[in-house]
Amino acid sequence: MRVRLTQGIALLSTGALAGAFGYGAANLVPTFNAVPLDMRLSFHTELMKMNGITMQGAMGLSVLSALALAVMTRGTARWLASGAGLLALASFLITRLGNVPINGRIKEWAATSAPADHAEILSRWEAFNYARTGAAFAAFALLILLALRPRGSGLDSKQTAQAASKRVRRRAARVG
């Protein structure tokens, strides 16, 4: 039961993370590029105030739940959950080390003015954004693969033993 609950939390959190980043990549970034620079900077600054807690929470929960699932499972299931946890961690690190420092500069520009090389810096922010989005989607995809595997295929030894015991009893009932 704990494994299934942890798996559900991992799926929900990585799905929310991938969805939020996907929405940003598909809708916000093109909108940022379509409006005047001062509007983009103001909106970007306000958006980052709102995103700070929710996105960090989603990333943290994604990492922790996927890695907890890896500890609870074995075999291929463990590899899939570990990979998902590491990809969620990558999305956090890309955000923290790539996007967040640029967000700080954008906040300054919104209050003053953008430097001459602002287009290059904003392009780097977008590259980091696409990288973290890809990592989040890959994490979610690995957890979907794990969820679609037949029950008893590496979830944990107790569940595997129970599933095997049921199969043996069913076969014995048919023979006897």
Side-chain angles (χ1 to χ4, degrees), residues 100-112:
V100 169
I102 297 172
N103 289 343
R105 294 178 76 180
I106 290 171
K107 183 179 178 182
E108 290 173 16
W109 302 344
T112 59

Side-chain angles (χ1 to χ4, degrees), residues 33-111:
N33 293 328
V35 299
L37 181 61
D38 62 329
M39 184 180 291
R40 174 193 178 146
L41 299 177
S42 296
F43 182 75
H44 195 116
T45 299
E46 289 303 313
L47 184 63
M48 292 313 110
K49 287 179 190 175
M50 297 298 173
N51 280 353
I53 297 204
T54 56
M55 294 307 291
Q56 287 182 41
M59 286 184 275
L61 189 56
S62 294
V63 172
L64 293 176
S65 60
L67 292 178
L69 185 60
V71 169
M72 297 174 163
T73 57
R74 61 184 182 78
T76 303
R78 176 172 283 165
W79 285 106
L80 291 170
S82 296
L86 292 174
L87 285 162
L89 178 61
S91 101
F92 171 78
L93 292 173
I94 292 165
T95 300
R96 193 75 192 117
L97 302 175
N99 295 94
V100 169
I102 297 172
N103 289 343
R105 294 178 76 180
I106 290 171
K107 183 179 178 182
E108 290 173 16
W109 302 344

